[in-house]
Amino acid sequence: MDSVTGAGLTIMLRLCDVTAGYRRDRPVLRRVSLEILPGEMTGIVGPNGSGKTTLVRVASRSLPPISGTVFLDGADIWRITARGFARQVAVVPQDTLVPFDLSALEVVLLGRHPHVGRLHMETRGDEDAAMAALEMVGAGHLARRSVRRISGGERQRVAIARALAQEPRVLLLDEPTAHLDLAHQTEVMSLVVRLCRDRGIAVAAVLHDLNLAAAWCQRLVVLAEGRVEADGPPSAVLSESLVAHVWNARMWVRRNPLTGRPFLLPAPPPYEADRHETGDRPLVHVICGGGSGGPILSALVHEGFRVTCGVVNVGDSDEELCRAMNIPHAAEAPFSPVSPERSEVNRRMALDADAVVVTPFCVGPGNLDNVRVALDAQKAGRPVFLLTDGSPEDVDYTGGEGRALLTELQTRAERIQGVENLLNRLRALSG
């Protein structure tokens, strides 16, 4: 088996049509093929039971495949001696606890065993290599300290140093950030990425946290029911449809404006109008914009209210929320004044509602009509609630016209601070 791709990159580790598991009649991995390249950080992701840890066990010679072959630089790993394999492949398991009271240096020296003769003790050169590995992960100061008396993040650094002491060409990590807080997760992932980049190590890391994987990995391999569902850069792999299909989870996928990488947010349940038509909850029309409507729109849907939304610009986060939650709304082109057609839709929804909620938003020429519609609804006898959040009010970019309308609205409408207080007031409308 050739170990070089068409692009000239050496494939350090290759799984070819691998089926594996713990019972031949119930395989966990099913005909999995993938390649781990040098200098590339590959994240192995998938729901529980998808085969992530089994893949690491097969790739690290801990579990023979039922069928298929694993190649290391072109050679079948089961035709390589255990010592020869350990000189090239290192594994950092999820559990980094050490059963004995060893110092960090003694733990890292365990990684030198593949390079030490069977009956020989470690040499000064081995100690130097172990210390160099500790220094490389920023843990040189822990060399003489007991691993039982250091933090979880420090233990994980020591475990990675032990793997580096093997001088591997491939590094396999099974949940390297498990049980770590946010700061230690960042430390460990940045360390692994730096080692991958600077030393050209081929790295594959099993990760549960999709945001962590998307932020740090150059490539994601998604497993589902023991098969490769997707493989590629995070931006190409992670989509709302894939997350829904593989994880059975309703999530929003957005882009980090600094890195362009995707990140996931829990999506609220969709509004289903037919489920609310026969309910006794009021129909609430929300006038919002600039992201001010998110909390109240989500809360209203969660509470079971019937909901509509006023004019919001396409691309505004409130408009995206309405589309994602199936909330009836009037959408206008971005950076455009409200058209007569959209204004009429907004006014009709407001007059059909049992109550109108106006969130705090900046008033400019483009959304003056929203304030006028709220006033029209109040004059028509609809209760209008001004939701306040403690931030400065009367933000007006219309030269005074918006401020005048807002002042009139404030004298007529009921001001309520906080979403929960508003929900209580709306609940009272339904008796």
Side-chain angles (χ1 to χ4, degrees):
M1 175 67 68
D2 188 6
S3 65
V4 178
T5 69
L9 292 175
T10 300
I11 299 171
M12 299 308 305
L13 194 67
R14 173 185 285 169
L15 281 72
C16 293
D17 209 23
V18 167
T19 295
Y22 310 95
R23 287 176 47 180
R24 295 188 68 86
D25 61 335
R26 296 182 63 182
V28 178
L29 295 179
R30 304 169 186 271
R31 305 192 67 174
V32 168
S33 296
L34 63 89
E35 301 164 346
I36 306 299
L37 301 175
E40 183 175 75
M41 176 75 167
T42 299
I44 311 297
V45 299
N48 291 336
S50 59
K52 302 185 297 296
T53 295
T54 300
L55 187 150
V56 170
R57 295 197 66 197
V58 170
S60 61
R61 276 184 37 135
S62 298
L63 178 69
I66 296 170
S67 62
T69 310
V70 181
F71 295 94
L72 176 64
D73 206 12
D76 184 337
I77 64 172
W78 289 97
R79 295 183 179 274
I80 304 172
T81 65
R83 183 180 294 272
F85 183 79
R87 286 176 176 172
Q88 300 186 75
V89 179
V91 182
V92 178
Q94 184 178 141
D95 186 358
T96 58
L97 294 177
V98 177
F100 305 106
D101 192 15
L102 301 178
S103 70
L105 180 59
E106 289 170 327
V107 169
V108 176
L109 276 169
L110 296 175
R112 294 299 301 165
H113 283 185
H115 301 278
V116 176
R118 184 170 297 176
L119 300 178
H120 294 80
M121 299 293 290
E122 292 91 350
T123 66
R124 178 60 181 270
D126 292 315
E127 287 194 12
D128 290 344
M131 276 302 304
L134 278 171
E135 295 290 351
M136 195 178 303
V137 301
H141 63 289
L142 302 174
R144 305 301 172 186
R145 291 182 58 183
S146 167
V147 290
R148 292 187 173 181
R149 294 173 176 82
I150 60 179
S151 71
E154 290 170 333
R155 276 199 304 272
Q156 198 70 317
R157 284 178 173 269
V158 171
I160 294 172
R162 179 180 63 188
L164 293 176
Q166 292 179 223
E167 300 177 6
R169 302 169 69 193
V170 178
L171 182 60
L172 304 174
L173 304 104
D174 189 3
E175 285 293 333
T177 59
H179 316 304
L180 299 182
D181 61 29
L182 184 62
H184 286 123
Q185 287 179 1
T186 301
E187 287 180 11
V188 168
M189 293 302 292
S190 60
L191 166 65
V192 173
V193 169
R194 176 169 54 82
L195 293 170
C196 176
R197 180 189 65 235
D198 296 348
R199 297 173 65 88
I201 299 173
V203 178
V206 169
L207 297 164
H208 266 298
D209 188 328
L210 286 179
N211 281 328
L212 200 67
W216 294 100
C217 297
Q218 296 166 270
R219 171 181 164 215
L220 295 182
V221 175
V222 181
L223 294 181
E225 297 181 349
R227 294 184 172 89
V228 175
E229 185 71 25
D231 182 351
S235 58
V237 166
L238 288 182
S239 66
E240 292 171 4
S241 59
L242 178 131
V243 173
H245 170 65
V246 173
W247 281 269
N248 193 29
R250 181 175 164 80
M251 304 292 289
W252 283 338
V253 177
R254 296 293 184 263
R255 303 289 167 188
N256 185 316
L258 295 178
T259 66
R261 288 174 175 258
F263 68 92
L264 283 70
L265 293 170
Y271 170 71
E272 300 176 43
D274 57 344
R275 290 180 53 192
H276 300 271
E277 285 179 355
T278 58
D280 59 356
R281 287 295 176 90
L283 171 59
V284 181
H285 184 65
V286 179
I287 294 176
C288 57
S292 63
I296 187 60
L297 288 168
S298 299
L300 289 170
V301 170
H302 180 76
E303 282 275 325
F305 285 95
R306 297 175 292 150
V307 187
T308 57
C309 185
V311 178
V312 281
N313 291 111
V314 174
D316 187 299
S317 59
D318 285 339
E319 194 272 335
E320 290 186 348
L321 179 66
C322 287
R323 280 192 291 110
M325 297 177 68
N326 299 327
I327 294 174
H329 65 288
E332 185 58 87
F335 310 110
S336 301
V338 177
S339 66
E341 294 79 14
R342 297 294 182 271
S343 176
E344 180 56 31
V345 171
N346 187 20
R347 181 170 285 98
R348 187 168 59 250
M349 288 192 294
L351 295 177
D352 287 344
D354 298 300
V356 174
V357 172
V358 181
T359 67
F361 57 85
C362 299
V363 178
N367 60 10
L368 264 176
D369 193 72
N370 272 333
V371 185
R372 294 192 185 101
V373 165
L375 279 168
D376 289 346
Q378 195 281 327
K379 292 173 182 177
R382 305 297 182 271
V384 176
F385 302 102
L386 291 179
L387 178 64
T388 64
D389 58 5
S391 60
E393 299 178 3
D394 299 346
V395 182
D396 176 27
Y397 296 102
T398 65
E401 184 179 2
R403 186 181 301 279
L405 289 173
L406 283 171
T407 300
E408 182 181 357
L409 183 62
Q410 288 166 3
T411 62
R412 295 173 174 271
E414 181 178 343
R415 297 157 61 91
I416 299 178
Q417 183 168 356
V419 171
E420 188 57 38
N421 290 330
L422 177 60
L423 289 176
N424 287 333
R425 187 68 180 87
L426 292 171
R427 293 180 190 121
L429 291 180
S430 58

